[in-house]
Amino acid sequence: MDKRRVTVGSLIPKQPAVEPVTPSRHPRKTQQDTFIRLQQNKHVFDIKRMKGNLLNTSLKQGKPLEFKCRKGTCGVCTVKIIEGASHLLPPNEKEQKKLQHALTEGYRLACQAELQ
């Protein structure tokens, strides 16, 4: 009679050796690196970072931002930047004139705010 012992470990087929994973030279991008989160009225949108102005980029991505003149005079496209403000160029003259103190609270004109 064979008196071999069967253990759970002996039933698992041998796996090939796995090479250790070395960290990449380039840190992995997080959502904060590639998205800008903004709020207009009570709606929050995540916009994928691309070149161009914030309004056009949002509309291309199917985000229903409200807007009217596209010239920076009416203010309908005003949004609050929740995350990713560092991906926007500094406010231009039109934004500074229209929004004044609201700029310090994170508000921008989507038709004027340029993504870098």
Side-chain angles (χ1 to χ4, degrees):
M1 184 182 272
D2 191 11
K3 292 194 174 197
R4 281 194 279 171
R5 290 180 42 187
V6 178
T7 62
V8 173
S10 68
L11 298 175
I12 299 174
K14 299 223 181 221
Q15 299 291 324
V18 178
E19 293 183 29
V21 178
T22 55
S24 170
R25 287 185 178 181
H26 306 289
R28 187 174 178 186
K29 287 189 173 188
T30 63
Q31 186 170 353
Q32 290 178 335
D33 294 334
T34 57
F35 284 86
I36 296 170
R37 179 167 284 167
L38 56 90
Q39 180 178 2
Q40 188 181 53
N41 302 320
K42 294 181 181 182
H43 304 283
V44 175
F45 303 102
D46 286 332
I47 310 300
K48 186 172 180 172
R49 189 174 146 206
M50 301 167 71
K51 291 273 186 190
N53 77 38
L54 192 54
L55 177 62
N56 289 340
T57 301
S58 300
L59 295 174
K60 285 178 187 174
Q61 295 178 31
K63 310 301 182 194
L65 287 185
E66 293 180 24
F67 66 96
K68 189 172 182 181
C69 73
R70 292 184 180 246
K71 297 181 222 172
T73 55
C74 71
V76 173
C77 68
T78 300
V79 296
K80 181 173 179 135
I81 306 301
I82 299 170
E83 290 180 34
S86 62
H87 301 304
L88 297 172
L89 294 174
N92 63 23
E93 271 186 50
K94 290 180 181 180
E95 282 187 281
Q96 291 175 4
K97 185 177 179 181
K98 185 72 178 171
L99 298 176
Q100 298 175 0
H101 300 293
L103 286 170
T104 59
E105 297 171 16
Y107 288 93
R108 299 291 301 265
L109 294 177
C111 71
Q112 299 297 307
E114 291 289 325
L115 294 153
Q116 43 182 345

